[in-house]
Structure formats: structure tokens, C-alpha cells
Amino acid sequence: MRSSAFAFLAAPLCLGLYGVIRILDGLDGSRGPGLAWTAGHLVFLVGLGFFAHAFRTMWTIAGRGRLATAGFLAGIAGELAVGVQFGIDLVVGFRSADRSGMDASFARIQDVPGVDAAFYSYGPLLFFAGQLVLVTLLALRRRVRPWAPVLVLAEIVLPLLDKDFIPLGAALLLVAFAPLLRGAVPQSTSDPVGSGRQGRGDVGSR
């Protein structure tokens, strides 16, 4: 499945490119509005599409059991939340003349009940939780390196320390995904982790 393998390459690359554009956008002391703000957000939204494809493939490799399904659904739900957040960012950027105008718009939007929790504070965390669950299951099945979950956890934590670390986190994610870049070959499996059933479809080495 060449498209699946490409998703594991393109998703971290889009994330890293967004991080680089974000850094460049801030060199003048302010981020957005403008070309860099728009380009970075569009790149990230494209990356979300590749992440969705990657999550679906990891769910298949993990055996489509209960825990894998929970991780997949969490990842997709988190993607939707992040996608809405970045869509809001794009609209605000287009409609604002300067950063102070953007900040005022963001404040009004996030004051709407439920918006901050769903699309900024908590909803996006599901995106990262899904990543960690799925990669951990693949590590247990020896489809990725045993230390891959540690790299994914670092990719999650680094931007919380400083968003300028996003490109570094993306590089770590690419290393974690490296064994999955060879493509997918279906094969049978015994009891999938967390499934409680026999004979669910699995995907072989990549």
C-alpha cells in the first residue's frame, strides 16, 4: 500500500513544515496575519489528511481491536478538533488587518461557551492521545521499534514546552514511523492486543 507508506512520510513532514513556517512568521515579533500565517495553516490542514490515513493504517495493523479502535477514534476526533481550530485561525487571519485585530477576534470566539474546551484546550489532546495509543500497540506487536512510543511522547511534550520545538517533534515522529515507510502487506494474526477475538485482519512488516 504505497499510499499508506507515503502518509507516514507526509504527515510528519507537513507538521515539521508548519513548525518551520511558524518560526519564520514570528521573526518580526508577531505571527499573522499574512502569507506565512495562511501557508503554515494550510500545510498543517493538508497534514491532517495524511494523519487520518496513517491512523487508519495503524488501526488495521494493530488488529482493529477495542483498544486500537479507541485510539483510532480518539485520534480522528482530535483531528476534527484541531481542524476546526486551524480553520478558525485561517478565517480570523483573512478578516484581520493586524495581530491586535486577530487577538480581539480570537477572544470573542473563545468566549463562546464550549468553543475553547472543544477546539483549543481539550479536544485537540485526543489527536495526540490517539497517536500514542496506536504507536504503543504497534510497538507491542513489533511493527515499530520498542522505543517508538517514547519518541511520540516527546513529540507531544516538546511543543508544550515551546512551540518552536514543533519541527524537532516532527522529526522524532518521522523516526518513530520509519519502519512503516516500506508499505503494508496483509497477513493473518492470532489474538490482537485488546481485541479479545481471534483472526482479525492484520498487516505485516513494512
Side-chain angles (χ1 to χ4, degrees):
M1 297 181 184
R2 292 183 179 178
S3 62
S4 297
F6 182 70
F8 289 110
L9 173 65
L13 288 181
C14 286
L15 176 61
L17 181 55
Y18 161 71
V20 171
I21 295 173
R22 182 185 176 278
I23 291 172
L24 295 176
D25 188 25
L27 291 179
D28 62 356
S30 177
R31 291 189 172 90
L35 179 60
W37 176 270
T38 301
H41 281 69
L42 288 176
V43 166
F44 189 88
L45 288 173
V46 171
L48 286 181
F50 289 116
F51 270 109
H53 196 93
F55 286 170
R56 186 179 186 280
T57 302
M58 287 193 285
W59 171 60
T60 300
I61 298 172
R64 302 182 183 181
R66 288 187 293 269
L67 189 53
T69 299
F72 172 67
L73 293 178
I76 295 300
E79 278 201 45
L80 292 174
V82 175
V84 171
Q85 178 190 143
F86 272 62
I88 292 172
D89 289 354
L90 280 171
V91 172
V92 168
F94 281 128
R95 298 183 62 178
S96 301
D98 52 31
R99 182 68 210 194
S100 62
M102 291 176 63
D103 291 340
S105 294
F106 284 134
R108 287 194 299 270
I109 291 170
Q110 292 177 25
D111 280 343
V112 175
V115 168
D116 182 71
F119 305 121
Y120 287 90
S121 298
Y122 302 113
L125 296 179
L126 296 174
F127 173 59
F128 301 106
Q131 282 184 47
L132 187 58
V133 169
L134 290 170
V135 171
T136 299
L137 291 176
L138 297 195
L140 291 173
R141 287 172 167 270
R142 299 182 181 178
R143 300 300 195 262
V144 296
R145 302 298 183 187
W147 33 261
V150 177
L151 296 183
V152 173
L153 182 60
E155 176 254 338
I156 294 170
V157 172
L158 282 173
L160 299 178
L161 302 176
D162 190 326
K163 289 185 178 179
D164 285 352
F165 287 141
I166 289 175
L168 175 58
L172 296 178
L173 188 61
L174 185 58
V175 173
F177 283 168
L180 303 171
L181 299 179
R182 294 189 296 270
V185 179
Q187 72 175 34
S188 61
T189 184
S190 55
D191 185 22
V193 176
S195 70
R197 292 188 292 277
Q198 298 282 78
R200 294 301 299 266
D202 193 12
V203 179
S205 63
R206 291 172 168 273

